[in-house]
Amino acid sequence: MPTDQESSTISLNTSKVHLNPNSHNKLNGHQRNESSNSRSYSFLDYYGAESPPQISSGSTTIKKINGLDTESESIDPSTSLDVLDLKDDTLCADGDVINNSKSLDSEHRENYIQPINMASKSEILKSNFDRYGFKKGSTLHNITMEDYNEWFNIYSDSELRQLKKWHLLMKHHGFQIEENNNEEYIPTRFPPRSDKVKKMIRKGIPSSWRGNAWFFYAGGYDKLNKNTGVYEKIVANTRGIKNKDTEVIERDLNRTFPDNIYFNSNLSNNTDLKEEPNLIKSLRRVLIAFAHYQPQIGYCQSLNFLAGLLLIFMTEERTFWMLVILTEKIIPKVHSQNLEGVHTDQGVLILCIKEYIPSLWNILGKNFDGEPLEEDKILIRLPPITLVTSSWFMSLFVGILPIETVLRIWDILWYEGSKTIFRFSLTIFKLCLDSPDFQMNSQNGSSETEQIELFQFMQSFPKKLLDSNLLIDCCFKKIGGYGFGSLSQDEINRCRSFVSKQREKINQKNKNKSLTEMTDEEKTLIGNDIHDIYGFNRSIMSGMVWNKNIRKKLSSHKKK
Amino acid sequence: MSTQSGSNERFAQFKLVLLGESAVGKSSIVHRFVKNTFDDLRESTIGAAFLTQQITIPETQTTIKFEIWDTAGQERYKSLAPMYYRNANAALCVFDITNKSSFAKAQDWIKELKKQAPEGIVIAIVGNKSDLNDEREVEQEEIENYIQEQKSEGYDIINAECSAKTGDGVLTIFDKIGRALPVDEVIESNKSRQGGGISNRRTGGVDLSRPRRQQAGQTNSCC
C-alpha cells in the first residue's frame, strides 16, 4: 500500500475526499469505491496512470457495497445529515440494478469530482485528460494535446498567483484559513458582494472553489434552506418513472460528455466491464427530478450539458437547485416547451448586434441577395446566425468554448447574471470579426458566401478560444477592451421585455402559430398590422434607449 | 469558398436540412459525409450545426455544394425548425431502422415540410443504422408502402438507407439528392444574373421568392 496514506484523503465539510494523484493502488481502491460506496473521487487519480485505471470485477462490487472503505471514511460528520436512505436503484438503466444498494445510491449523490488547485502541474501536463476529466486533445475543439499543454503551462502559473490573492481576500474578510500542507483550503462561505469581489471573480475563481462559490453567489443556500429534503423526495417519487422526458433523457445521458472520463466508461482501458459511470447515474436522477419539478420545462436538450458540468463541481442536490435558479431567474423560458426565451433572447442579441456591432450587422442584416433585411422583419424572422447562437444561450457555452473558458464565464455568470451571456456573445462576435483569419476569408465574396463564411467561422472560432484571459479582458477592460462590460442588466431587461411584448402581440394575432411558421401570404396579410404594432414607420427600437458609451467605445476601438 | 474552376465544370450550391427524432444519427450522417469520421457517442446537437460539403456528378460534370443545417432532434426544437427549412432546397428526414417511432416521426416531418417548406424542396426519407439489421423494427416493405402512398398523392420522396457507422450508403444519399436538384435552372439563373460571368455569385438554388415556373418539371421533387 502506498506510503502517502495521510495525504490521500482530505476531509472537507462539503463531503469530498481527495485521493492521491500518484497511487496506482489507490487508483484501484478508488475504482472499487466508485463502483461501490465511495463518496469521492478526484480526477487526479488518473494522472499517475498512463492509462485509465482498472475497474474491479462485478462480484467485488457487490461484495463491497455494504462495507465502508477506509479510503472513503474520512468524511466530515456534518455531512451525514445529507445521507438519505433512498432506494433509487431502480433508476439504473436497462435493469442494471444492483441489489443491496440502499445506501449506495444515496451516497453517490454526494459524489463529485474535486479539481485541485495545488495539483502538480507536471502531473496534469503528462495526462491525456484535463483537471475535470475531459480529453485534452479534442477533435470537437480542434485543439491538440500540445496546444493544451502549452496554454496550461502558462495558465496554471497565473492561477496560482490568483489563488494567493483569493486567500488574501478571504483573510481580509475575516475568514479563517487553515494552513495545512496536506489539506487544501476550500471555503463554503464567501465575502459579500462588492466591487473587489466582482473583480476577483472576473479574474477567475480557483478551480476547487468553483462549485461552492457558484452556489453561494447564485443564491443556492436560500433555495436549499427553503427546500430541505425536497430534492431527495423528488428523487424518491420519480424513481423508475417512464415518460416522454425520461425517454429523451436516456438517449442524451451518454451523449453528454463522451469525451469525459467520468461520463464515458469506454475511455477507460478495461474492456471487460463497462459499468455505468456514477456521474451518469447522478445526471439521470438530476434531470428526471428537474423535469418533474419544473413541468413547464420538463426536459430540454442542453440541460444535460448544464447539469453535467455542474455535477463535476457540486453534489446532485446542489446541481438540481442551480438548474432551478438558472431557469427561474437567469434565463427564464429559454428551456421551456416552446423555447420562447430562445426567441426572445436571440431577438435581443440581434438588436444588440445591430446597435453595437454595425459592421457585423452589415453581414447579417442582409438576405442572400445582398439586400438589407427590412427592419420590421427582424424579430419575426430572426437572421440565420441565430441558429448558431441559440445554443450559446441554451447550453451556456458548454461545447461551444473550451472548458476552462466556459468555467471562467460561469464564474461571472453566477455572480453577475444573464447580461454576462450577452456580453460574451458580443465579445466573441467582435473577436471573430477582428480576427485576421476571418478578414482574410471574407474579403471577396457575395453576401451569401460572406454569411456562409461567417456561420462556419462562428462555429469553429469559439472552440479555439483557449485564452480565457484574453476573452475576458476584451469584454471588460477599460483600456483596449470592447466595452461590453457597460452593457447593463437593466438594458438587457428592457430589451427583453420589448422583444417579448412584440412577440406576444404578433402571437396573439397568430394564435397557435409560431411567428417563424408564417407563410409569406400570411405575413402580407398582417403586414400593415405589424407596422402599427412595432411602430416601424418610426424606428424599430424607438422605445429602446441604447448605451451610447458602448457605441463610442467600439468606434474608438475601430479607429485604433 | 470554392469558385468555378474548369471551364466545362458546372457549379451549383444548395441548402440541405436534416430533420428527425433525437439520436437517430443525423449528426453522424453529416460527419460521415463531410469528414468521413464516426464516433459511437456524439454529443447531442443543440440548436443547429452548419457544415458544407460538395459532390461531383461526373456525367454532367457538375459540382454541387451542400450547405447543411444539422438540427436538434427534440420535439420542442420544432419551434426553431422553420428557420432551418426556410429556403431549403433539400431535406433528409432521418429515422433509426431499429426504432419504429422514429419512422413515424420522420413521416411527421415530411408532413410538416409539405405544409411549410418551399415548393420544390427535394425530400428524402433515410433509414440510418443499417448495420443493426438484426434489430430492425422498420421493414423495407413498410417504407416502400409509404413511398408509394406519397407518390399516389403526387410527392416523390427519395428512399434511402445507410449506416453512418460503416459509411454504407451515405454518399449514395447525397448523390441521389444531387441528381434530383434543379441544377440546370440554378446555373441558368445565375448566368442570367451574372451576365454569364462567374456563376456562383448567387448560388442559393431555388427559394420562395422566385417564380414557381422555375421549379416546375422536377421529376424527383414534390410539388
Side-chain angles (χ1 to χ4, degrees), chain A residues 204-235:
Chain A
I205 299 171
S207 256
S208 58
W209 299 15
R210 277 195 164 117
N212 290 348
W214 294 347
F215 192 73
F216 180 85
Y217 287 116
Y221 284 105
D222 277 357
K223 271 279 178 207
L224 200 57
N225 294 338
K226 282 183 197 147
N227 296 281
T228 317
V230 169
Y231 175 69
E232 286 77 8
K233 258 184 227 142
I234 301 170
V235 169

Side-chain angles (χ1 to χ4, degrees), chain B residues 21-22 74 100 107 113 144-145 207 215:
Chain B
E21 179 80 271
S22 83
Q74 197 187 4
K100 194 144 196 158
Q107 296 176 33
L113 287 170
E144 205 42 61
N145 288 342
D207 67 31
Q215 293 161 24

Side-chain angles (χ1 to χ4, degrees), chain A residues 178-390:
Chain A
E178 306 138 39
E179 302 281 4
N180 181 330
N181 284 340
N182 293 330
E183 291 183 20
E184 194 188 345
Y185 166 66
I186 296 177
T188 52
R189 300 273 159 179
F190 293 84
R193 286 166 180 275
S194 69
D195 281 351
K196 174 71 189 161
V197 170
K198 187 167 79 180
K199 222 172 167 182
M200 286 292 284
I201 283 181
R202 287 179 180 180
K203 285 185 175 162
I205 299 171
S207 256
S208 58
W209 299 15
R210 277 195 164 117
N212 290 348
W214 294 347
F215 192 73
F216 180 85
Y217 287 116
Y221 284 105
D222 277 357
K223 271 279 178 207
L224 200 57
N225 294 338
K226 282 183 197 147
N227 296 281
T228 317
V230 169
Y231 175 69
E232 286 77 8
K233 258 184 227 142
I234 301 170
V235 169
N237 292 339
T238 54
R239 193 191 332 140
I241 61 159
K242 283 203 161 49
N243 56 40
K244 197 95 194 138
D245 284 330
T246 62
E247 205 181 288
V248 188
I249 290 171
E250 279 307 324
R251 282 200 292 257
D252 273 357
L253 290 174
N254 291 315
R255 303 197 302 151
T256 301
F257 292 134
D259 269 354
N260 187 299
I261 199 154
Y262 297 114
F263 288 84
N264 183 0
S265 53
N266 290 322
L267 294 175
S268 106
N269 277 358
N270 191 309
T271 46
D272 307 334
L273 180 75
K274 291 292 179 207
E275 200 180 310
E276 184 171 63
N278 283 340
L279 277 189
I280 294 285
K281 291 178 185 159
S282 291
L283 185 60
R284 176 184 292 114
R285 284 189 293 260
V286 169
L287 292 175
I288 291 175
F290 180 83
H292 182 80
Y293 185 76
Q294 303 273 53
Q296 76 286 6
I297 293 174
Y299 173 67
C300 176
Q301 288 192 307
S302 72
L303 288 175
N304 56 327
F305 296 115
L306 304 178
L309 191 58
L310 287 167
L311 279 169
I312 295 178
F313 293 90
M314 60 185 76
T315 63
E316 264 179 63
E317 186 180 35
R318 288 176 173 218
T319 297
F320 173 82
W321 290 114
M322 289 291 269
L323 287 184
V324 172
I325 290 167
L326 180 79
T327 51
E328 279 180 352
K329 290 188 185 150
I330 302 178
I331 41 171
K333 293 186 183 164
V334 162
H335 298 92
S336 66
Q337 297 286 354
N338 56 6
L339 305 184
E340 184 56 28
V342 174
H343 292 279
T344 309
D345 281 353
Q346 292 307 301
V348 174
L349 180 68
I350 288 302
L351 294 174
C352 287
I353 288 173
K354 189 166 177 289
E355 187 63 25
Y356 295 132
I357 320 182
S359 55
L360 179 62
W361 182 249
N362 286 342
I363 304 174
L364 297 179
K366 284 182 205 153
N367 68 15
F368 288 146
D369 285 328
E371 295 148 0
L373 292 179
E374 291 167 50
E375 284 232 315
D376 55 351
K377 296 274 170 69
I378 298 169
L379 295 179
I380 307 168
R381 286 192 148 192
L382 290 168
I385 191 70
T386 55
L387 295 174
V388 176
T389 49
S390 54

Side-chain angles (χ1 to χ4, degrees), chain A residues 422-439:
Chain A
F422 292 93
R423 287 170 167 181
F424 279 100
S425 297
L426 292 170
T427 308
I428 293 167
F429 268 122
K430 189 83 175 77
L431 270 173
C432 173
L433 271 186
D434 288 355
S435 85
D437 285 350
F438 179 72
Q439 295 189 337

